[in-house]
Amino acid sequence: LALLRDPKARPAERRAALKSLLAQQNPGVGDELGSLLRHPQLSIDAIRAFGKIPGLGAGQLLKHYPGFATQERRAVVETLATRKDLAEELLAAMEKELVLPRDIPAYSARLLTGMLGERFTKVYGDLREQTADKAKLMEKYSAMLDLPEAGKADPAHGRVVYSNLCGVC
């Protein structure tokens, strides 16, 4: 916690401390996330941490949302689409027009529709159906996740690849 709180520590060290504290389910880490949201090199890590701490609501994320850059906004939406309690808060923010439907990527909208059903689509609008080609590709790659080689994959590297290639669209 001391390293995470230290503004003079290198961002990589603070990021590693955050990751470690989250893995340990340290009860004090949630109190530190608000200050990390204002740190440009740690904000996305802090945003994602909100989805990993049970009982931590979306209030701080939504408070900062209007001032976030596009990547941070996308991380907020993705994070709030990970749990039903957070998705409910995202829906309330959409109803107040704090978060606009155009801010919700299709893949997050599909998750949110699964969690919240018609209440979400009433605010978001109808989802476009996936093309047959895209559905076939998703089926192919989903099957690859069951292969033994998938167990050796590096999730951190996968996240980088996804962010740079898949997540862009």
Side-chain angles (χ1 to χ4, degrees):
L1 277 173
L3 181 58
L4 183 63
R5 292 176 181 142
D6 184 0
K8 294 179 183 173
R10 293 191 331 241
E13 292 173 335
R14 293 177 78 190
R15 190 174 293 111
L18 175 60
K19 185 176 179 179
S20 176
L21 290 164
L22 288 170
Q24 297 169 20
Q25 298 181 354
N26 185 295
V29 72
D31 298 334
E32 305 304 319
L33 295 180
S35 64
L36 297 178
L37 290 174
R38 295 183 295 274
H39 191 290
Q41 294 176 307
L42 297 172
S43 61
I44 290 182
D45 297 289
I47 290 166
R48 299 234 184 266
F50 274 83
K52 297 175 183 169
I53 302 174
L56 194 60
Q60 287 187 69
L61 290 177
L62 294 170
K63 180 178 126 187
H64 288 87
Y65 187 82
F68 281 147
T70 303
Q71 247 186 320
E72 293 165 320
R73 285 179 174 217
R74 169 90 26 111
V76 168
V77 169
E78 290 169 350
T79 298
L80 297 182
T82 61
R83 293 195 333 244
K84 188 169 183 176
D85 60 321
L86 297 175
E88 296 277 357
E89 291 187 66
L90 175 59
L91 180 59
M94 290 177 71
E95 290 169 340
K96 295 176 187 170
E97 298 182 355
L98 175 64
V99 177
L100 301 175
R102 69 174 180 249
D103 295 343
I104 313 287
Y107 58 88
S108 294
R110 283 185 178 76
L111 290 172
L112 291 161
T113 299
M115 275 188 258
L116 304 173
E118 188 179 310
R119 292 182 5 223
F120 176 74
T121 55
K122 184 178 175 184
V123 176
Y124 178 81
D126 290 330
L127 279 168
R128 291 185 325 205
E129 289 295 318
Q130 286 183 333
T131 64
D133 290 345
K134 187 173 256 187
K136 201 178 284 187
L137 270 176
M138 288 179 65
E139 195 173 304
K140 172 188 169 187
Y141 288 116
S142 291
M144 291 172 76
L145 293 173
D146 294 331
L147 296 173
E149 297 85 19
K152 300 173 189 166
D154 177 3
H157 180 68
R159 192 173 297 118
V160 170
V161 171
Y162 175 84
S163 295
N164 292 333
L165 298 174
C166 310
V168 173
C169 68

